[in-house]
Amino acid sequence: AYERKCRYFCRKTNSVVVSVGYRLAPEHPYPAQFEDCLTATIHFLRTAQDHGVDPSRVVICGDSSGGTLTAAVAQALVNRRDLPNLRAQILIYPFLQCVDLNLPSYQQNKGVPILPKERTLVLGLKYVNLDLGIIEEIFKGCHVSEDRRLKYQKWVSPDYIPHEFKTRGYKPSPTYLPSKELCEVVESMFDPVFSPLLAEDSVIAQLPETFILTCEFDVLRDDGLLYKKRLEDHGIKVTWCHLQEGFHGTV
């Protein structure tokens, strides 16, 4: 599915393009996918000159769950002093958080193909091997403990979504009490490898220059907007492209 896209990027940017054939879930459980992408990136940074590439000009890129992996790999490399720094990261409509699945974009685009709201969570739960029976409780936010809610509200909140993105039928969601049992079950979903938007400030502040693409008709639109804000709040240069007529998978 990505052969032609990678060749197109290669041709248009006059770059060496490496496509990582990471192992897929559920045959290979999470976080094998992240580990494969990280291993491939480290190997390439160390051997870039063997491929005629300046190691100071390596950019990593991914779309959708590949955008999640890209963000997670960039975060994993910030404290590596034995490797060249990444030149930049490109995040194309990435999934970045599971704290709030009622952000404006989730409400507005809940039935939009190819990634309706429910399918997003089904794929996420299958990825981390959790039971699909907890979907409704997660949509209500019962999976977020009070401690986590207090910590994450400074990063994940509809308050940080610009007003122009709320005009298409957004309503603030009611607050439900957390379920202690559920909070324990979904622990893995708050790992920054799964939800890169939840990384600590000390990590975010060291990330490379970033390009973020969002699409109006995409449940993940607001993940990109919130990550853009976090990066910019820490002085990271962000180039943002929003496709007003775009939808998830548009690349």
Side-chain angles (χ1 to χ4, degrees), residues 4 21 35 37 65 82 84 89 150 161 179 194 222 231 241-242:
R4 287 182 66 192
E35 290 165 355
C37 290
S65 56
D82 58 324
Q89 60 175 342
L150 285 170
I161 303 300
S179 157
F194 184 84
D222 294 349
L231 291 166
C241 175
H242 182 65

Side-chain angles (χ1 to χ4, degrees), residues 59-197:
V59 177
I60 57 174
C61 170
D63 75 312
S64 194
S65 56
T68 315
L69 291 166
T70 299
V73 167
Q75 291 179 4
L77 293 175
V78 296
N79 290 316
R80 293 290 295 258
R81 300 293 169 250
D82 58 324
L83 296 167
N85 292 331
L86 290 172
R87 171 64 185 84
Q89 60 175 342
I90 296 173
L91 311 178
I92 301 171
Y93 38 73
F95 171 91
L96 296 171
Q97 62 84 32
C98 65
V99 173
D100 189 345
L101 300 179
N102 287 299
L103 291 169
S105 61
Y106 268 100
Q107 290 189 24
Q108 295 160 343
N109 303 306
K110 63 183 179 182
V112 175
I114 58 171
L115 194 67
K117 175 175 172 175
E118 187 163 325
R119 187 179 188 207
T120 307
L121 186 51
V122 167
L123 292 172
L125 291 173
K126 284 184 174 181
Y127 183 41
V128 288
N129 200 27
L130 292 175
D131 185 81
L132 300 184
I134 60 177
I135 284 179
E136 286 307 315
E137 283 191 283
I138 291 180
F139 281 148
K140 290 179 179 177
C142 300
H143 64 304
V144 187
S145 68
E146 283 302 325
D147 287 348
R148 287 193 191 278
R149 204 184 299 269
L150 285 170
K151 178 178 180 178
Y152 297 148
Q153 68 184 6
K154 63 182 183 288
W155 303 331
V156 183
S157 169
D159 295 344
Y160 302 136
I161 303 300
H163 175 72
E164 62 266 29
F165 294 103
K166 297 179 181 175
T167 57
R168 195 161 48 88
Y170 164 68
K171 292 181 181 177
S173 301
T175 302
Y176 294 89
L177 290 173
S179 157
K180 186 180 179 187
E181 183 184 347
L182 182 61
C183 292
E184 291 171 359
V185 167
V186 302
E187 186 76 23
S188 59
M189 295 176 73
F190 297 106
D191 185 329
V193 169
F194 184 84
S195 296
L197 185 56

Side-chain angles (χ1 to χ4, degrees), residues 5 63 92-93 114 213-215 217-218 243 245-251:
K5 291 182 183 70
D63 75 312
I92 301 171
Y93 38 73
I114 58 171
L213 179 103
T214 55
C215 294
F217 299 101
D218 180 8
L243 301 183
E245 302 296 326
F247 53 90
H248 195 85
T250 201
V251 164

Side-chain angles (χ1 to χ4, degrees), residues 25-81:
E27 295 85 355
H28 300 280
Y30 163 89
Q33 300 70 29
F34 163 73
E35 290 165 355
D36 287 355
C37 290
L38 181 60
T39 300
T41 305
I42 290 170
H43 176 72
F44 190 75
L45 285 168
R46 284 177 172 157
T47 62
Q49 289 174 320
D50 297 347
H51 304 279
V53 173
D54 178 346
S56 69
R57 297 185 65 193
V58 175
V59 177
I60 57 174
C61 170
D63 75 312
S64 194
S65 56
T68 315
L69 291 166
T70 299
V73 167
Q75 291 179 4
L77 293 175
V78 296
N79 290 316
R80 293 290 295 258
R81 300 293 169 250

